[in-house]
Structures are given as structure tokens and as C-alpha cells.
């Protein structure tokens, strides 16, 4: 199935039918057999879809296709400004390793929660979409060296959310100001700062690619502390209405 660029297949009852790729974020049960799925799509940004009968044995769309951060090929009915659209066809592009690893599934659960709370736009963002898809494919291909993946993902994602830290050759030995996204020689009056060790790690991650993340030797307790600081950084800029909770599951799996 090839994704089109805002080119409808045909019209049905004033709803246009489109091919698009998507990334499953979450779903909630609706009635005995149906769900409402949140999917980040290539063509329409973050969308909600009603899927009827998905929780039955004879369902054409299987519930396992909606696991967090699954990569999907979709045919969807879409009407602008409609809060709940429908899916006509769905095909899962299955991962090789993620479903069989408790560590990786815990990671995807956490990252899906971050994505859901961070991205609200109902409009296309091709660079962001390709980043998310590429990140998940990278994680799926890794056999062992991915302990730093989630913190590096959080750092990289900020570039698309509008609060990517200012990169400077003088970042080292400075405190990171989370309110303003800059490194400073001394702390100011507000409390949203990383300490020197956390700031140094952030500076290092800003220049690290996924392919080189396995070379970072970070002690477990430091990685855990930095993860909490990154969640704080997101909260400062996005004002999460609810607390991030899935990192606790991630801690049990990874730490």
C-alpha cells in the first residue's frame, strides 16, 4: 500500500477516503467489541478513529495491530475538523523484535505516552513523522545496545516540539536552564535547572546519534535521574495536564 499525498481515492457521503501511513499511539475500549484508537498519521497529524468490532474473533482489523508505536498502512475516511473518523482498511508492518522483548515493549509504552501528551496538532509534519518511524525501526533492529535509546529519543524529539536546547561549544561545565533552553555559568532564581552532571550529559547527547548511543557509558542511577529531569523539561514547556506514569513501568523493566 503506497501512501498518497492528500490525494483522495474517492468520496463517500462527503467524507474523503485516503491512504496514509500511521503510528499507533493508544486505544480505549468502546462498547463490548469496539475501540477508539489514537493514531499519529502522515497526512493528518494526530487523529482519533472509531474501529467497530475489532475485539471479536472474526475482526478484519486485529487488536494487536494497535499496540503502542506499531507502524501501520491505513485507508481512512477523513473529514476536516471531525473529531472522530473511521478506518476502512488497516495493515500492520510488523516489528521483528519489539513484541518479543519486555524491555522494548516497556520503552514503546513510555514513548507512546510522551508522544500522545506532546503532539496535539491535527496537521501533517513529514519531518516529525519520519523521525518517529525511523526511531522505532532503529529500536526494532537493535539486539542489545539500546539502554540509552529512550533518553536520546527525548532529546531529539524536542527539536520538533520547539524547545530543542541551544547548542554551544561552551555548554560543558555549565548549568542547563530548563525554562529558557540554554546553558548558563550559574543558576538563576527559578528552580528549573539541571545540575552540572545532568547538564554535561545533556550536552553530550545533543551531539550523539542513534548509531553512537551504545558508546555512552552511563551508570544506571544516572540514566534514571536524567530521565526524570527530561520529563520535567517536557512538563515545563508543554504543561502536561496529567503526570507521566509509564516511566514507572519502564523503570521496573530496565532498572
Amino acid at each position: 500500500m503506497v501512501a498518497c499525498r492528500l490525494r483522495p481515492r474517492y468520496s463517500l457521503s462527503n467524507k474523503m477516503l485516503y491512504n496514509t501511513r500511521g503510528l499507533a499511539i493508544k486505544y480505549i475500549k468502546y462498547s463490548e467489541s469496539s475501540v477508539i484508537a489514537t493514531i499519529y498519521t502522515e497526512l493528518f497529524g494526530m487523529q482519533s478513529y472509531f474501529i467497530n468490532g475489532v475485539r471479536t474473533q472474526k475482526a478484519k482489523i486485529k487488536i494487536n495491530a494497535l499496540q503502542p508505536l506499531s507502524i501501520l498502512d491505513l485507508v481512512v475516511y477523513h473529514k476536516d475538523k471531525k473529531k472522530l473518523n473511521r478506518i476502512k482498511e488497516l495493515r500492520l508492518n510488523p516489528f521483528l523484535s519489539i513484541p518479543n522483548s519486555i524491555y522494548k515493549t516497556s520503552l514503546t509504552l513510555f514513548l507512546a505516552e510522551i508522544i500522545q501528551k506532546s503532539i496535539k496538532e491535527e496537521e501533517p509534519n513529514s519531518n516529525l513523522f519520519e523521525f518517529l518511524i525511523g526511531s522505532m525501526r532503529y529500536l526494532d533492529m537493535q539486539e542489545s545496545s539500546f539502554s540509552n535509546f529512550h533518553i536520546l529519543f527525548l532529546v531529539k524529539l524536542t527539536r520538533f516540539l520547539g524547545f530543542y536546547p541551544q547548542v554551544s561549544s561552551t555548554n560543558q561545565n555549565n548549568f542547563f536552564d530548563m525554562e529558557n533552553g540554554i546553558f548558563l555559568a550559574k543558576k538563576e532564581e527559578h528552580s528549573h535547572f539541571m545540575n552540572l552532571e545532568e547538564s554535561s550529559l545533556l550536552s553530550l547527547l545533543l551531539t550523539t546519534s542513534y548509531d553512537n548511543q551504545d558508546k555512552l557509558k552511563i551508570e544506571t542511577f544516572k540514566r534514571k535521574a536524567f530521565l526524570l529531569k527530561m520529563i520535567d523539561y517536557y512538563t515545563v514547556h508543554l504543561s502536561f495536564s496529567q503526570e507521566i506514569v509509564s516511566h514507572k513501568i519502564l523503570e521496573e523493566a530496565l532498572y
Side-chain angles (χ1 to χ4, degrees):
M1 187 179 297
V2 179
C4 67
R5 299 290 180 178
L6 291 176
R7 191 180 306 158
R9 290 172 55 169
Y10 56 81
S11 173
L12 180 64
S13 301
N14 296 320
K15 294 181 181 180
M16 306 305 289
L17 194 61
Y18 294 88
N19 289 36
T20 183
R21 292 184 295 166
L23 196 66
I25 304 300
K26 67 173 291 185
Y27 66 85
I28 58 173
K29 297 177 181 178
Y30 184 87
S31 76
E32 293 184 0
S33 62
S34 304
V35 300
I36 295 175
T38 301
I39 300 176
Y40 186 66
T41 68
E42 183 176 16
L43 295 187
F44 307 111
M46 196 66 77
Q47 294 288 318
S48 295
Y49 295 100
F50 177 78
I51 310 177
N52 188 42
V54 71
R55 296 166 56 208
T56 63
Q57 291 184 348
K58 296 181 179 180
K60 292 182 179 180
I61 298 175
K62 303 300 183 182
I63 196 70
N64 69 318
L66 300 175
Q67 295 305 306
L69 303 189
S70 296
I71 299 174
L72 310 170
D73 287 326
L74 304 164
V75 179
V76 300
Y77 296 104
H78 182 82
K79 187 174 182 180
D80 289 340
K81 298 182 180 180
K82 186 175 178 62
K83 294 299 182 182
L84 194 62
N85 285 293
R86 287 179 178 265
I87 294 175
K88 183 177 186 294
E89 299 174 21
L90 181 153
R91 181 167 67 86
L92 173 67
N93 291 298
F95 291 124
L96 298 174
S97 67
I98 290 176
N100 303 314
S101 167
I102 188 173
Y103 304 107
K104 290 185 178 182
T105 53
S106 297
L107 276 174
T108 58
L109 182 65
F110 167 69
L111 297 180
E113 183 180 11
I114 289 289
I115 292 169
Q116 181 202 0
K117 293 182 183 297
S118 301
I119 303 172
K120 303 297 183 181
E121 291 76 16
E122 297 180 1
E123 57 187 30
N125 184 330
S126 59
N127 291 332
L128 173 55
F129 185 83
E130 293 298 341
F131 165 74
L132 296 176
I133 294 290
S135 296
M136 293 314 301
R137 286 177 173 155
Y138 172 86
L139 176 63
D140 189 46
M141 294 299 293
Q142 301 311 298
E143 295 182 358
S144 58
S145 300
F146 54 89
S147 58
N148 298 317
F149 172 82
H150 55 305
I151 57 174
L152 187 54
F153 176 94
L154 292 183
V155 172
K156 289 180 176 295
L157 181 58
T158 62
R159 184 183 295 276
F160 304 94
L161 301 178
F163 52 97
Y164 189 70
Q166 179 178 312
V167 180
S168 170
S169 59
T170 61
N171 287 354
Q172 291 293 333
N173 301 318
N174 285 342
F175 296 93
F176 182 64
D177 176 348
M178 293 193 290
E179 282 193 5
N180 298 297
I182 58 177
F183 290 82
L184 298 173
K186 62 178 181 179
K187 293 182 178 181
E188 296 185 349
E189 292 184 1
H190 65 80
S191 60
H192 297 127
F193 275 88
M194 292 185 181
N195 63 34
L196 284 176
E197 193 168 45
E198 294 160 347
S199 300
S200 178
L201 176 54
L202 174 59
S203 179
L204 182 60
L205 289 169
L206 288 171
T207 59
T208 300
S209 67
Y210 280 149
D211 289 336
N212 293 325
Q213 59 94 23
D214 61 325
K215 297 178 181 179
L216 300 178
K217 306 304 179 184
I218 306 171
E219 294 178 74
T220 299
F221 76 95
K222 293 181 180 179
R223 187 185 303 112
K224 179 179 179 180
F226 183 79
L227 173 62
L228 295 177
K229 278 295 184 183
M230 284 302 299
I231 293 175
D232 287 344
Y233 185 40
Y234 273 66
T235 303
V236 166
H237 288 272
L238 299 177
S239 302
F240 290 150
S241 58
Q242 294 180 325
E243 179 187 2
I244 296 291
V245 296
S246 56
H247 73 89
K248 298 174 183 178
I249 300 174
L250 180 63
E251 289 174 5
E252 292 181 5
L254 294 182
Y255 307 132

